[in-house]
Amino acid sequence: MFKGFSPETIDFLWGIRLNNNREWFMEHKTEYQKTLYEPMKELAQEVFAPFRDVPNMDFKLSRIYKDARMHPAVPYKESLWLSMRPEGMVWSEQPTLYFEIRPEAYSYGFILWKPKAEMMAKYRAMLQARPQEFLS
């Protein structure tokens, strides 16, 4: 059961931002798991619970480790996020619900990261045809 994030969560996030190296992370890995990863996992499970029966719907948790091919400067992310979206589709091209926590703030909402033009045209047409459905 999600009980919230603690001040230690934020301390860890500031710590990884200011000490983004393997030695520091390995010394604080237990803190990461206890104060950040496990609470985020609990939050994801609670947020996802009402959607379990929706076909192909799933949630994802980000990893703390950066992909060295794309982010060579530092080995760890200084945030953690969860997302909920249909499986089997490129996440950046579809509507995604998310929650992210960083040292200085958190954010949540609905995002379309890199939608294709034809998808956006269909989405706009749907909104124009059924505005009340969208608003409700």
Side-chain angles (χ1 to χ4, degrees):
M1 184 167 104
F2 181 65
K3 297 180 183 106
F5 295 102
S6 67
E8 290 79 17
T9 304
I10 305 307
D11 291 344
F12 172 83
L13 288 167
W14 278 112
I16 198 72
R17 177 177 284 179
L18 299 171
N19 304 284
N20 204 315
N21 61 70
R22 179 172 169 73
E23 296 74 28
W24 187 91
F25 181 76
M26 294 311 289
E27 288 175 17
H28 296 86
K29 189 172 182 177
T30 302
E31 291 170 49
Y32 158 70
Q33 291 171 329
K34 181 180 174 188
T35 68
L36 181 58
Y37 182 76
E38 288 301 324
M40 183 67 86
K41 188 172 162 184
E42 292 167 359
L43 176 60
Q45 290 169 342
E46 285 191 32
V47 167
F48 181 67
F51 299 92
R52 282 193 205 288
D53 295 332
V54 175
N56 297 326
M57 189 62 71
D58 201 7
F59 74 87
K60 302 287 183 199
L61 289 179
S62 66
R63 300 175 345 152
I64 193 84
Y65 309 99
K66 285 193 173 181
D67 185 336
R69 298 169 297 171
M70 297 170 23
H71 308 282
V74 292
Y76 303 100
K77 296 175 188 166
E78 55 190 45
S79 69
L80 203 65
W81 52 261
L82 66 89
S83 66
M84 189 171 61
R85 61 184 184 266
E87 271 296 304
M89 298 171 66
V90 178
W91 77 267
S92 62
E93 296 175 1
Q94 64 180 316
T96 301
L97 296 172
Y98 79 96
F99 173 83
E100 179 182 31
I101 188 167
R102 299 180 309 280
E104 68 281 354
Y106 64 89
S107 61
Y108 60 92
F110 172 84
I111 189 170
L112 287 166
W113 181 262
K114 291 168 47 176
K116 292 187 175 181
E118 60 270 15
M119 193 278 283
M120 286 305 297
K122 287 179 184 178
Y123 185 66
R124 286 185 193 104
M126 184 190 74
L127 289 177
Q128 289 176 338
R130 303 186 325 236
Q132 283 309 116
E133 185 177 333
F134 173 76
L135 293 173
S136 65

